[in-house]
Amino acid sequence: MTVVMRGRPPRHRGDQVVGAGGTPTRGLSNDHGTSDDKMTPVSSPVVSLQAQPLFAALDEAELTSLADRAHLRRYAQGDVLFAEGSACEGLYVLVSGRVKIFKTSASGREQILAVEEPGSSFAELPVFDGGPYPASASAMSDTEVLFISRSDVRALCLERPEVALKILQVVAARQRRVVAVIEELSFTTVRHRLVSWLLRQAATSGRPSARGSIITLPSHQELAAHVGTVRELVSRNLTRLQAQGFIAVEARVITILDLQGLEADLAASE
Amino acid sequence: MTVVMRGRPPRHRGDQVVGAGGTPTRGLSNDHGTSDDKMTPVSSPVVSLQAQPLFAALDEAELTSLADRAHLRRYAQGDVLFAEGSACEGLYVLVSGRVKIFKTSASGREQILAVEEPGSSFAELPVFDGGPYPASASAMSDTEVLFISRSDVRALCLERPEVALKILQVVAARQRRVVAVIEELSFTTVRHRLVSWLLRQAATSGRPSARGSIITLPSHQELAAHVGTVRELVSRNLTRLQAQGFIAVEARVITILDLQGLEADLAASE
DNA sequence: GCGAGCGCGTGACAAAAGTCACTGCCAGGC
DNA sequence: GCCTGGCAGTGACTTTTGTCACGCGCTCGC
């Protein structure tokens, strides 16, 4: 296995950052995971662990014990954390940055299943059913994760069932999102999905302005992976939405001019 | 809330059946769940519980205690166990029969997410994250389920973490299936999904014959809900597969004439 | 400053998916 | 028997989706 060290130093983020400056940024595009991987144990990630809702139930001693066994890994933007189909070694808890979970088709198309935010965990599936990763994960920005081995996670769940319940909660949340994706893919058009993505974006990270909520797009390619289509259709549909006066497009900045209109449009196409 | 009692008596199934003959078959098409529901407690479902992998870890006393709080519910074919969007009261463990989990679109189309077999549980999501049901469930055949209230499930998980791990495993299995559905919906054609459904069927419940594996279809409507399309396309694609000599169709009985051919076809269309 | 590479917009198609409207068949209830 | 209702098959379209092939403009590194 080749481990590519990315030159770019990880960005430190406020109080989330723990003291283990020496851990190398890790990345690779073809990690099939069975690994002679040597992780540098983190001196004291107790702070990071503590901040995780997942481990809120643990007391100081337990956190310390877990910390001894958790590894902090850093990834640069674009790095692949794990690839679909490779064997799973443990659970990831996202400390900072954002991670996308996605499938890739034989022809190279990508479908994003979820974008994880700090505080969430991922790769629970294979931890609990023993199979390979069902999808790939890559860092959308410089990212820090805590990695906890499969057996440690399971032991922890047995010892502190609250943790298992928390994990179930996280898994449930993702399951909901994934079911919503199916619903949209199965029942709606590209246009509908795109509009619904725009509205979700506006609701979660839109900045208000005089003309309407402002959101920033990723590349059309990326957006296409979110809504399950190809670049060209994203482009065309955005153009059309602009022509219809629903949105204003300036490069990657979009202003939602007619929120009600878009919502009505969604409702109509159902 | 209206509770419709279906006249048809529940079919008893071998040694799975527990003693509470009096429990009425329950069904409804529009149960929004908040319920003045009175369940008849089952006299002794220990036998049923014991048979469930989910509770394999429990000892006799625990099973008895759980049994006191579990309810056996029976549904006739076609009954709706719960409807998408309604509030969740607890966990279902399937004892006998088959249950489909599905979404319905505004225009009336149906997309099946999973078909549960005995031994599996469902509706874990809302139990652990507190939200409403993300999808509906209905009985594909006469069915018996054990129903355990949300709080009982959670208490049990805290007391016997092995149960939580088992539930996580069940959830993981479903998550895998659901991700596979997304992959197919996003990347492949109706034909591809149909072929892949046929092959899966052949692999799991195909009966061998001289000409090839024999499988029995549900209605085209139902099959369409499985592969995420409409009746007409199922019909046309089956006709075409037959014309190409891959399968032989006799009413709802299909013989896979050229398994390799179909597999090659799948691989080619990727 | 300039070439390479990337992201974007678009026209022209081709293919797939979905809709509508009918027809025919068969089983069940009266 | 006859009517009704639920499936199934199909022709004739329309809409959507996806593909290919370009052209354009920006930015980045030399």
Side-chain angles (χ1 to χ4, degrees):
Chain A
M1 191 187 94
T2 38
V3 174
V4 179
M5 301 291 182
R6 296 300 190 92
R8 187 141 53 109
R11 243 171 66 209
H12 287 241
R13 292 174 188 244
D15 56 19
Q16 293 276 33
V17 172
V18 300
T23 318
T25 292
R26 313 169 49 71
L28 27 86
S29 50
N30 219 1
D31 185 357
H32 282 291
T34 42
S35 110
D36 43 330
D37 248 55
K38 287 277 180 298
M39 288 295 97
T40 317
V42 168
S43 50
S44 158
V46 175
V47 181
S48 291
L49 284 173
Q50 208 167 27
Q52 303 311 318
L54 230 45
F55 305 121
L58 305 189
D59 63 32
E60 191 68 28
E62 288 167 321
L63 280 174
T64 312
S65 135
L66 180 57
D68 284 345
R69 295 187 285 178
H71 302 280
L72 184 70
R73 290 184 180 180
R74 294 207 175 94
Y75 297 89
Q77 180 170 38
D79 286 355
V80 173
L81 280 70
F82 53 79
E84 173 182 352
S86 54
C88 158
E89 294 146 38
L91 182 73
Y92 291 78
V93 179
L94 187 53
V95 174
S96 73
R98 290 197 309 153
V99 169
K100 70 174 174 186
I101 313 289
F102 62 98
K103 297 281 282 184
T104 310
S105 82
S107 65
R109 246 176 72 184
E110 208 176 83
Q111 170 71 52
I112 295 178
L113 301 178
V115 173
E116 300 299 341
E117 306 280 346
S120 191
S121 64
F122 49 97
E124 308 87 355
L125 265 84
V127 167
F128 293 101
D129 77 357
Y133 292 117
S136 309
S138 84
M140 298 179 74
S141 59
D142 291 350
T143 287
E144 292 174 314
V145 298
L146 283 166
F147 180 81
I148 308 169
S149 83
R150 226 184 135 217
S151 53
D152 286 343
V153 175
R154 298 178 67 99
L156 180 63
C157 284
L158 288 174
E159 221 172 294
R160 299 297 311 232
E162 300 91 327
V163 174
L165 285 188
K166 273 286 179 195
I167 291 179
L168 269 161
Q169 197 178 319
V170 170
V171 171
R174 180 166 29 263
Q175 178 86 339
R176 267 177 207 283
R177 269 177 281 150
V178 162
V179 166
V181 171
I182 291 191
E183 177 171 25
E184 290 202 329
L185 283 176
S186 181
F187 296 149
T188 79
T189 64
V190 168
R191 168 178 235 254
H192 180 116
R193 280 173 262 154
L194 187 57
V195 168
S196 122
W197 188 91
L198 290 175
L199 293 179
R200 266 198 310 275
Q201 256 339 264
T204 59
S205 56
R207 284 144 296 150
S209 85
R211 296 159 68 212
S213 189
I214 296 182
I215 59 184
T216 305
L217 295 189
S219 73
H220 286 186
Q221 183 69 58
E222 184 87 0
L223 188 41
H226 272 282
V227 301
T229 183
V230 293
R231 181 185 81 70
E232 290 94 328
L233 287 194
V234 167
S235 177
R236 277 195 239 277
N237 277 286
L238 284 177
T239 309
R240 189 153 153 244
L241 286 170
Q242 179 166 40
Q244 297 178 310
F246 288 127
I247 62 175
V249 184
E250 289 139 279
R252 290 199 182 172
V253 176
I254 291 211
T255 311
I256 310 280
L257 299 177
D258 184 1
L259 199 97
Q260 278 79 39
L262 286 177
E263 277 162 354
D265 203 69
L266 273 199
S269 69
E270 258 171 14
Chain B
M1 190 189 94
T2 38
V3 174
V4 178
M5 299 293 183
R6 296 301 192 91
R8 186 141 52 110
R11 241 168 68 209
H12 288 243
R13 292 174 189 243
D15 56 19
Q16 292 277 35
V17 173
V18 299
T23 317
T25 293
R26 312 170 48 70
L28 27 86
S29 50
N30 218 359
D31 184 358
H32 283 289
T34 45
S35 115
D36 42 329
D37 247 58
K38 289 272 181 298
M39 288 296 98
T40 317
V42 168
S43 51
S44 157
V46 176
V47 181
S48 292
L49 283 174
Q50 208 166 30
Q52 303 311 316
L54 229 45
F55 306 121
L58 305 189
D59 61 32
E60 191 68 28
E62 288 168 322
L63 280 174
T64 311
S65 136
L66 179 59
D68 283 345
R69 296 188 285 176
H71 301 280
L72 184 70
R73 291 184 180 180
R74 295 205 174 95
Y75 298 89
Q77 179 169 39
D79 285 355
V80 173
L81 280 70
F82 52 79
E84 172 182 352
S86 54
C88 158
E89 295 145 38
L91 181 75
Y92 291 78
V93 179
L94 187 54
V95 175
S96 72
R98 289 196 311 152
V99 170
K100 69 173 173 187
I101 313 288
F102 62 99
K103 298 280 282 186
T104 311
S105 82
S107 66
R109 245 174 75 182
E110 207 175 84
Q111 170 70 54
I112 295 178
L113 301 177
V115 173
E116 300 299 340
E117 307 279 346
S120 191
S121 64
F122 51 97
E124 309 87 355
L125 264 84
V127 167
F128 292 101
D129 77 356
Y133 292 116
S136 310
S138 85
M140 299 178 73
S141 59
D142 291 350
T143 287
E144 292 174 313
V145 298
L146 283 166
F147 180 80
I148 307 169
S149 82
R150 227 186 132 217
S151 53
D152 286 343
V153 174
R154 298 178 65 99
L156 180 62
C157 284
L158 288 174
E159 219 173 298
R160 300 297 311 231
E162 301 92 326
V163 174
L165 285 189
K166 273 286 180 196
I167 292 179
L168 269 162
Q169 196 179 319
V170 170
V171 171
R174 178 162 35 259
Q175 177 87 338
R176 267 177 207 283
R177 269 176 282 150
V178 162
V179 166
V181 170
I182 292 192
E183 177 171 25
E184 290 201 330
L185 283 177
S186 182
F187 297 148
T188 78
T189 64
V190 168
R191 169 180 235 253
H192 180 114
R193 280 174 266 156
L194 187 56
V195 169
S196 125
W197 188 90
L198 290 175
L199 293 179
R200 268 199 309 275
Q201 258 338 267
T204 59
S205 57
R207 283 142 297 149
S209 86
R211 297 158 69 212
S213 189
I214 295 182
I215 59 186
T216 305
L217 295 190
S219 74
H220 286 189
Q221 184 70 57
E222 184 87 359
L223 188 40
H226 272 282
V227 300
T229 184
V230 294
R231 180 185 81 71
E232 290 94 328
L233 288 193
V234 167
S235 178
R236 277 194 239 276
N237 276 287
L238 284 177
T239 309
R240 190 156 151 242
L241 286 170
Q242 179 166 39
Q244 295 176 312
F246 288 128
I247 61 176
V249 184
E250 289 140 277
R252 291 201 182 171
V253 176
I254 292 213
T255 312
I256 310 279
L257 299 176
D258 183 1
L259 199 98
Q260 277 79 39
L262 286 177
E263 276 162 355
D265 203 70
L266 273 200
S269 69
E270 261 173 13

